[in-house]
Amino acid sequence: MQVQESSSPRIEATVAGQFLRKLFQFLFYLHFILIAVLTIFLAIRGVVLSGKHHFQPKKWYPPLLASAASAGILSLAWQWMTQSKPSKAMRICFWLGPLMTCAFGILLLLINSAASLSTGAVAIISGVIQSIYTCWVNPRFEYAGKILSVSAAFPPARTAILVTLSIILSAVYSSFLVSGIGGATAIGTTLDILFIVVILLSLAWSMHVIKNVLLVTISRVKYIHFAYGADMETEIAFRDTIKYLMGSVYIGSVFVPIFGSIWGSARTINAIAGERDEFLFSCADCYSAVASTLAAHGNRWGFVHVGVYNKGFIQASVDTWEMFKRAGMETLINSDLTGAFCFFSGVAGGAVSALVGGTWALAVHKRYATEVSIYAFLIGYFMFRTATAWPLACVSAYYVAYAENPLHPRFDSTIPARIQELQRYQNEQIASPDPAQLWEQYQAPE
């Protein structure tokens, strides 16, 4: 059944919600104008004064622009790979990410400057940690590939066109900001370093906005399909997102990366602290509680309700999280690998982009190689995250639609079987004694 509009009810935003949307919309437009003016100013100043400061634009810009172009081409190929062979793409990215990160670290070590050595060491350590994580989550690959295949089957019409245009926009905007970064690098004062940091923050926010526009648009179309068995036109969903929902997209593009990082760090600290040390455990438990609260008020699942019901982002995040709890899906959501798949894809793409730009810069002008490599990594990372926004939207819509009506006949046994499997595992963990406690009891005097 083809629908012209959503068959789900649209919820009117509260006065506070409308104010917050308008505020973030104003802040984004204001920041966009200021960054554009700053970038143009820095680019012109850099060209005019480059000779006085011994800056060589012909050796700085081409490697970075080439890395941005290669990232765009590879991200298009990766989104095709994800669409045609999702299970295979899932496994490839979890091994390609650590490998490419280590290769990026080796390149930085070969540059052999103080900054490159420290950054390269961090990259190699990160690659090792990613490898350990890949081995740890290896048992989840089968379910992750299955849920990705089930939810992303039959993507909405013109998804490839929408993703391609988003990647092209990302490449063009990144290249525009690169001109400003190059202009600031040409002078290199402390104020110019601050300008570079501001431009990179603007790049991050803008790239998240582009990605989340895709996420809201495609998740709405897929939700209508899963929940009502109807097919909504992608153009209508995209038009509504641009016209009515950008305020919530701007808010979510700020909150989700920050809250997600805090939540991820809390889970890591909690796993390291364990329950052996009461002080560390209490601190980790307190931090975990704060992080869980933040994650409940700002998570990527909320984008589905933003698109479907026109809710404010915070309210949508709270509602979807509570819905997951009522459906008994909290453990399932916490163990989902779709977000990790997108992250590892971004890391692999960023590393490849850095290898392209960094190798070129190392060959033509070694002094530029470190900064070019880092900037290329960031650009490649964000472009690959944009390319993987549509499978993330499909999985998010599938989970949210299932949580609202688990008994709907359109859903197979994929999620219920996984929930039962996780419950059995938790019961086995509870039933099995702690080896450390048994050893202490054995050693204790009678």
Side-chain angles (χ1 to χ4, degrees), residues 58-391:
K58 292 182 179 180
K59 295 182 178 180
W60 195 92
Y61 285 110
L64 204 47
L65 295 177
S67 65
S70 64
I73 296 171
L74 291 174
S75 59
L76 288 173
W78 184 245
Q79 73 97 14
W80 172 84
M81 175 72 177
T82 305
Q83 181 176 346
S84 58
K85 299 178 181 179
S87 297
K88 192 172 183 179
M90 174 73 69
R91 293 181 178 273
I92 289 175
C93 84
F94 274 91
W95 293 109
L96 195 61
L99 180 63
M100 290 295 100
T101 303
C102 290
F104 172 46
I106 293 173
L107 171 65
L108 291 172
L109 294 180
L110 292 176
I111 296 173
N112 198 27
S113 65
S116 68
L117 289 175
S118 57
T119 309
V122 171
I124 292 176
I125 294 173
S126 175
V128 173
I129 294 174
Q130 291 175 45
S131 301
I132 296 173
Y133 178 80
T134 299
C135 295
W136 180 52
V137 301
N138 186 63
R140 304 188 211 166
F141 284 166
E142 183 178 355
Y143 168 77
K146 186 175 182 180
I147 195 69
L148 182 60
S149 300
V150 170
S151 60
F154 308 108
R158 296 185 174 85
T159 295
I161 296 176
L162 192 59
V163 173
T164 301
L165 291 176
S166 299
I167 291 174
I168 293 174
L169 177 61
S170 300
V172 171
Y173 185 67
S174 299
S175 301
F176 171 68
L177 293 185
V178 161
S179 65
I181 294 175
T185 303
I187 310 302
T189 64
T190 303
L191 185 60
D192 287 300
I193 296 175
L194 178 61
F195 287 155
I196 292 174
V197 173
V198 171
I199 291 175
L200 291 177
L201 290 175
S202 172
L203 173 68
W205 191 12
S206 302
M207 288 295 199
H208 277 292
V209 168
I210 295 173
K211 173 179 72 72
N212 291 330
V213 166
L214 283 176
L215 184 57
V216 171
T217 300
I218 297 176
S219 65
R220 180 184 178 189
V221 177
K222 292 296 290 185
Y223 176 91
I224 297 299
H225 174 74
F226 292 135
Y228 302 103
D231 293 325
M232 183 178 187
E233 292 186 6
T234 308
E235 296 92 334
I236 295 177
F238 178 72
R239 181 200 64 195
D240 289 347
T241 300
I242 297 299
K243 190 174 182 180
Y244 303 113
L245 307 176
M246 290 306 296
S248 296
V249 171
Y250 297 142
I251 296 171
S253 299
V254 173
F255 287 173
V256 170
I258 297 174
F259 292 174
S261 300
I262 294 174
W263 186 58
S265 64
R267 295 181 66 184
T268 303
I269 294 173
N270 211 25
I272 295 174
E275 300 184 11
R276 302 285 296 164
D277 190 305
E278 292 186 6
F279 176 74
L280 288 178
F281 176 71
S282 61
C283 293
D285 192 51
C286 180
Y287 181 63
S288 179
V290 174
S292 297
T293 302
L294 292 176
H297 287 76
N299 55 76
R300 68 174 187 268
W301 315 100
F303 283 117
V304 181
H305 273 197
V306 168
V308 175
Y309 298 113
N310 191 27
K311 292 181 180 179
F313 176 74
I314 296 176
Q315 186 61 49
S317 299
V318 172
D319 290 347
T320 50
W321 199 255
E322 289 298 323
M323 193 167 53
F324 288 148
K325 288 183 178 180
R326 289 195 300 270
M329 296 172 58
E330 190 173 6
T331 304
L332 176 66
I333 295 301
N334 289 335
S335 64
D336 180 69
L337 291 181
T338 312
F341 162 72
C342 297
F343 173 77
F344 273 70
S345 298
V347 168
V352 172
S353 178
L355 289 173
V356 172
T359 303
W360 188 340
L362 181 61
V364 298
H365 201 290
K366 186 177 181 180
R367 188 168 65 88
Y368 296 153
T370 302
E371 57 197 63
V372 167
S373 299
I374 295 174
Y375 298 148
F377 176 86
L378 293 175
I379 293 172
Y381 172 81
F382 286 123
M383 292 181 69
F384 266 72
R385 291 303 303 266
T386 300
T388 55
W390 78 268

